[in-house]
Amino acid sequence: MRYSQVFSKSSKSHPADAESVNAKFLIQGGFVHQEMAGVYTWLPLGLKVLRKVENIIREELNKLGAQEILMSALQPKENWTTTNRWDAVDVLFKVPSQTGKEYALGPTHEEIVTPLVKSFLSSYRELPLAVYQVQSKFRDELRAKSGVMRGREFGMKDLYSFHATQEDLEAYYEQVKQAYVTIFSRCGMDVKVTEASGGSFTKKFSHEFQIITPAGEDLLIACPKCTFAQNTEVATLKAGEQCSKCGAELIETKGVEVGNIFDLGTRFSEAFEVTFTTESGESKHVLMGCYGIGTTRLVGAIVEASHDDKGIIWPKNVAPFTVHIVALGSKDEAIQATTVTIAEKLYTDLQAQGVEVLFDDRMGMSAGEKFGDADLLGMPVRVVVSEKSLKNNVFEIKLRNSSEATFIDVATAVDQLTQMVKN
Ligand code: ATP
Ligand code: MG
């Protein structure tokens, strides 16, 4: 994509009230636009990141046989009274209708998915089954803060699984737990898995997936070597003690919860009377698991965990583009024309190899301004095409996560860059 064509340009400053690093860089870089506290529009560059994250999640969940659906955001009040959550969930947005009825704007979807599955389920032969969606959720958070990490409207992937036996539920739960570690690692993130108490609505087990960052709201006792962590709300271990998984010395650190998985037992299937017939002909309540990932929060957490004072450092798999070509202008028109032609060719040739390229083709801007934008926007590889380097028949290459520049021959640049980004 040509940067001159991108509809949402970067700005030199960020809103004064953008208190968190993710809000500051995402707004300034033109990835998101804040509509009001806790509510954001995702702009072309930001949406590309969000879609990449969502697609990584889809790929890993599809491998577990889960099927994607899209449930309604507007939910009937009756379902929430059936589960006794209409008055119990403080963050529930309640929407009055001119007909006198009231609706809930979905903060989560147990109230929809449980009766939905009831309408299709009769026998153990249909179990296990798992459905998921990627959708906007609405929560009337008292304080919307931390940029896109705690919104009133936000993206979530929610997966629900249905089982005939506890054994089967636990086996699937374990598979999802593993898939989550894979998902976060594919997003370039090192994730900690905490055992949690299970929240207010279940006595069963639950796990949280935490990304370590000082911007996190949760205080953890975490292992620096493996995925083990405990949330200090429930912790049995202390900093300085040994990790119960690998023996390394535990540290105290902050984390942001990017995912959460629960064994729901029969909490919702009893409320909605969702039963199935077992092999021996008995009627039993179906067992449920639910598994969330905050997709928009995850994008924010990636920024929090991967940036420097100049801007974002996108991990390769979620970067909007992998290569950022910066063509520098020249006072000499003929030289500038040659530079642009060479940069154009590099842009086209890389794209023909399937490389995703952002091409800063804006002329009449200083090198400093362009480099500033490249650092702010955070693509993994920056390629500078300038009069100076072309004299030696090379391009200057700099990785966003390194301070050293190197040079590659113009003749072999496409091959070398293609290799570099595919590895
Ligand atoms: P938290 O403890 O952060 O309030 P939660 O435990 O209520 O979140 P769940 O109901 O399990 O969250 O939702 C699944 C995931 O959705 C969370 O792990 C988190 O990543 C994300 N999430 C929850 N609330 C928000 C929010 N207000 N803004 C953005 N993401 C959120
Ligand atoms: Mg939580």
Side-chain angles (χ1 to χ4, degrees):
M1 192 171 206
R2 288 166 194 279
Y3 196 55
S4 63
Q5 308 287 305
V6 175
F7 131 79
S8 49
K9 297 290 185 296
S10 68
S11 57
K12 290 210 171 57
S13 56
H14 56 82
D17 60 349
E19 81 297 356
S20 60
V21 169
N22 75 84
K24 191 174 117 183
F25 286 145
L26 289 172
I27 294 171
Q28 205 178 328
F31 294 91
V32 301
H33 182 261
Q34 189 177 24
E35 302 308 335
M36 54 180 145
V39 180
Y40 295 86
T41 289
W42 287 76
L43 300 170
L45 295 182
L47 190 60
K48 273 180 83 76
V49 179
L50 187 59
R51 291 287 182 254
K52 286 192 177 184
V53 163
E54 292 169 356
N55 287 335
I56 288 172
I57 297 173
R58 286 190 172 97
E59 282 174 23
E60 296 302 326
L61 297 186
N62 291 345
K63 284 185 198 162
L64 303 184
Q67 296 179 41
E68 186 169 2
I69 59 175
L70 182 59
M71 291 181 267
S72 69
L74 209 54
Q75 307 186 357
K77 176 180 179 178
E78 303 80 72
N79 295 25
W80 285 82
T81 47
T82 300
T83 58
N84 291 322
R85 295 212 291 181
W86 179 258
D87 291 314
V89 174
D90 51 1
V91 295
L92 189 65
F93 270 116
K94 297 171 180 177
V95 185
S97 157
Q98 58 177 333
T99 62
K101 284 183 78 136
E102 279 182 295
Y103 302 95
L105 264 184
T108 180
H109 276 73
E110 285 83 3
E111 274 75 1
I112 296 290
V113 80
T114 317
L116 173 72
V117 165
K118 178 179 175 149
S119 68
F120 293 104
L121 180 66
S122 57
S123 144
Y124 71 94
R125 286 189 201 88
E126 286 131 19
L127 296 171
L129 71 89
V131 289
Y132 72 95
Q133 65 174 348
V134 178
Q135 209 208 30
S136 294
K137 295 282 193 270
F138 301 86
R139 292 187 187 181
D140 194 3
E141 301 277 357
L142 208 49
R143 281 195 305 143
K145 49 178 185 178
S146 314
V148 299
M149 297 203 300
R150 184 170 296 283
R152 297 202 167 93
E153 176 177 340
F154 59 94
M156 196 203 287
K157 180 286 300 170
D158 42 331
L159 163 72
Y160 304 87
S161 71
F162 298 80
H163 307 268
T165 65
Q166 182 65 22
E167 209 178 19
D168 195 53
L169 167 59
E170 283 174 22
Y172 196 78
Y173 184 97
E174 199 50 42
Q175 281 184 34
V176 177
K177 201 197 306 166
Q178 294 308 320
Y180 269 34
V181 174
T182 307
I183 288 166
F184 295 119
S185 130
R186 285 185 63 188
C187 291
M189 291 291 106
D190 179 22
V191 77
K192 304 293 173 199
V193 186
T194 72
E195 269 176 46
S197 61
S200 53
F201 57 83
T202 171
K203 288 187 286 305
K204 308 278 176 166
F205 48 92
S206 130
H207 289 84
E208 291 170 356
F209 296 78
Q210 298 268 357
I211 289 176
I212 300 302
T213 153
E217 287 180 20
D218 295 0
L219 193 60
L220 310 175
I221 300 296
C223 177
K225 297 252 167 70
C226 73
T227 61
F228 179 84
Q230 290 186 329
N231 199 318
T232 49
E233 281 177 14
V234 295
T236 53
L237 292 167
K238 286 195 209 65
E241 293 183 343
Q242 281 193 344
C243 169
S244 48
K245 245 174 100 180
C246 77
E249 191 173 306
L250 296 170
I251 53 163
E252 191 175 89
T253 178
K254 282 188 166 172
V256 56
E257 178 198 310
V258 284
N260 208 338
I261 62 178
F262 294 95
D263 164 7
L264 296 173
T266 54
R267 161 78 175 86
F268 292 93
S269 57
E270 280 182 39
F272 289 103
E273 273 305 321
V274 188
T275 57
F276 65 96
T277 316
T278 65
E279 205 169 351
S280 56
E282 285 169 79
S283 173
K284 262 189 151 172
H285 286 111
V286 71
L287 293 160
M288 279 175 70
C290 80
Y291 318 82
I293 292 180
T295 51
T296 48
R297 178 182 288 185
L298 177 53
V299 174
I302 293 172
V303 176
E304 295 289 347
S306 184
H307 70 270
D308 60 17
D309 56 348
K310 299 191 185 102
I312 303 171
I313 304 174
W314 291 114
K316 202 167 64 186
N317 289 345
V318 299
F321 297 92
T322 31
V323 172
H324 188 144
I325 300 176
V326 179
L328 297 185
S330 164
K331 287 194 195 85
D332 182 317
E333 267 183 43
I335 291 176
Q336 177 163 307
T338 312
T339 309
V340 170
T341 308
I342 291 172
E344 291 273 357
K345 181 163 166 29
L346 179 64
Y347 173 56
T348 321
D349 291 351
L350 281 173
Q351 289 188 113
Q353 297 301 312
V355 179
E356 294 177 288
V357 189
L358 182 66
F359 175 25
D360 190 346
D361 58 338
R362 298 169 300 173
M363 286 298 135
M365 279 184 96
S366 73
E369 281 175 298
K370 290 190 155 196
F371 293 155
D373 271 343
D375 282 339
L376 172 65
L377 298 179
M379 306 319 155
V381 185
R382 187 185 79 184
V383 183
V384 181
V385 184
S386 70
E387 176 184 357
K388 202 171 111 196
S389 68
L390 288 177
K391 271 188 193 147
N392 300 321
N393 264 312
V394 292
F395 295 130
E396 187 206 272
I397 307 292
K398 196 179 90 56
L399 301 184
R400 181 63 184 86
N401 61 7
S402 137
S403 52
E404 312 267 304
T406 54
F407 296 93
I408 53 171
D409 283 342
V410 170
T412 55
V414 173
D415 283 350
Q416 284 195 56
L417 284 165
T418 307
Q419 282 307 316
M420 194 189 286
V421 302
K422 297 231 157 125
N423 283 328

